[in-house]
Amino acid sequence: QVQLAESGGGVVQPGGSLRLSCAASGFTFNNFGIHWVRQAPGKGLEWVAVVWFDGSREYYAESVKGRFTISRDNSENTVFLQMHSLRGEDTAVYYCARSSAYDGSSFDSWGQGTLVTVSS
Amino acid sequence: DIQMTQSPSTLSASVGDRVTITCRASQTITNWLAWYQQKQGKAPKLLIYKASNLARGVPSRFSAIESGTEFTLTISSLQPDDFATYYCQQYNYYPFTFGGGTKVEIK
């Protein structure tokens, strides 16, 4: 079955960096785009970034543009989110999600999430 | 960016009730809209894609329609497993955007 597993979360000081990973299994990884979505404590969902199936395109939310970079390694079935210049407002659970097999754009599978806490 | 306005933000209902949640887009998104269900401490789950299509394994008591820029999710007879938070999401344009969520609580 389709599985996504995030890792790399933790506590980081403001201005610091962190790299999240999303390891995929159970499907043909290089056929699907992968997104990152975050959820601040007690808040709603916020789309963060996407990388296309072949890594040819990336898109970002304005709130992270220039600070975060999404990438993928199709040989390792893994997507990364490199985060720099972290701020308190980046504190959230970060989920990776797969572009759906239904329409190529909704999110039909999600990981369990990894918590990033930005605090001094 | 496209704004997704979801209402109500909270809804109190009883088992067996018919429940309706609305989402309005700030501009046309054709039918590129999804609905997700999220339970406390868990990842969201896809319920509906392309405005009105039920994802595999989702009970038929869930349904959804579109009317221009207004989208509606209906639960025909609320079950105990349905108490959760529901989000709409547009995916017609980047950045993809979510509605603020509707928490369905037990009355």
Side-chain angles (χ1 to χ4, degrees):
Chain A
Q1 71 280 23
V2 174
Q3 288 193 330
L4 299 169
E6 303 92 339
S7 61
V11 180
V12 60
Q13 292 190 338
S17 299
L18 210 57
R19 188 175 87 153
L20 306 183
S21 300
C22 171
S25 61
F27 64 100
T28 305
F29 182 70
N30 58 11
N31 283 353
F32 291 88
I34 300 292
H35 301 254
W36 287 97
V37 176
R38 68 185 181 182
Q39 186 168 35
K43 302 297 184 182
L45 302 170
E46 179 187 16
W47 177 83
V48 172
V50 62
V51 60
W52 283 29
F53 66 100
D54 58 357
S56 62
R57 292 197 182 186
E58 308 148 28
Y59 294 92
Y60 298 90
E62 201 61 41
S63 58
V64 307
K65 203 174 291 185
R67 300 187 299 124
F68 290 12
T69 301
I70 189 171
S71 62
R72 65 190 295 156
D73 182 343
N74 282 351
S75 68
E76 296 290 332
N77 288 4
T78 303
V79 168
F80 303 99
L81 186 68
Q82 179 68 56
M83 305 185 293
H84 294 297
S85 304
L86 284 162
R87 308 165 180 166
E89 55 264 38
D90 297 317
T91 294
V93 173
Y94 284 73
Y95 297 100
C96 60
R98 189 185 80 163
S99 290
S100 89
Y102 300 114
D103 57 17
S105 292
S106 54
F107 304 162
D108 65 355
S109 297
W110 298 64
Q112 81 288 351
T114 187
L115 176 62
V116 172
T117 302
V118 183
S119 174
S120 54
Chain B
D1 298 359
I2 296 177
Q3 308 303 315
M4 304 301 294
T5 304
Q6 194 173 333
S7 61
S9 55
T10 307
L11 188 161
S12 296
S14 302
V15 173
D17 283 355
R18 182 180 182 88
V19 164
T20 297
I21 299 168
T22 298
C23 192
R24 181 172 284 109
S26 60
Q27 63 188 77
T28 184
I29 57 170
T30 57
N31 62 350
W32 297 107
L33 182 113
W35 290 96
Y36 299 89
Q37 175 194 67
Q38 186 180 33
K39 296 183 179 178
Q40 187 68 32
K42 301 293 186 182
K45 171 189 171 184
L46 179 66
L47 296 176
I48 302 284
Y49 64 95
K50 287 192 79 175
S52 60
N53 295 273
L54 213 60
R56 194 173 301 116
V58 175
S60 58
R61 62 180 180 274
F62 290 90
S63 64
I65 61 171
E66 64 166 296
S67 178
T69 58
E70 185 165 298
F71 301 83
T72 302
L73 174 71
T74 297
I75 310 172
S76 60
S77 177
L78 199 65
Q79 298 302 300
D81 192 49
D82 302 337
F83 291 96
T85 301
Y86 295 83
Y87 294 93
C88 63
Q89 178 212 21
Q90 70 81 20
Y91 50 99
N92 193 38
Y93 299 104
Y94 290 116
F96 292 175
T97 44
F98 290 90
T102 296
K103 185 174 184 179
V104 177
E105 298 180 326
I106 301 173
K107 184 185 282 184

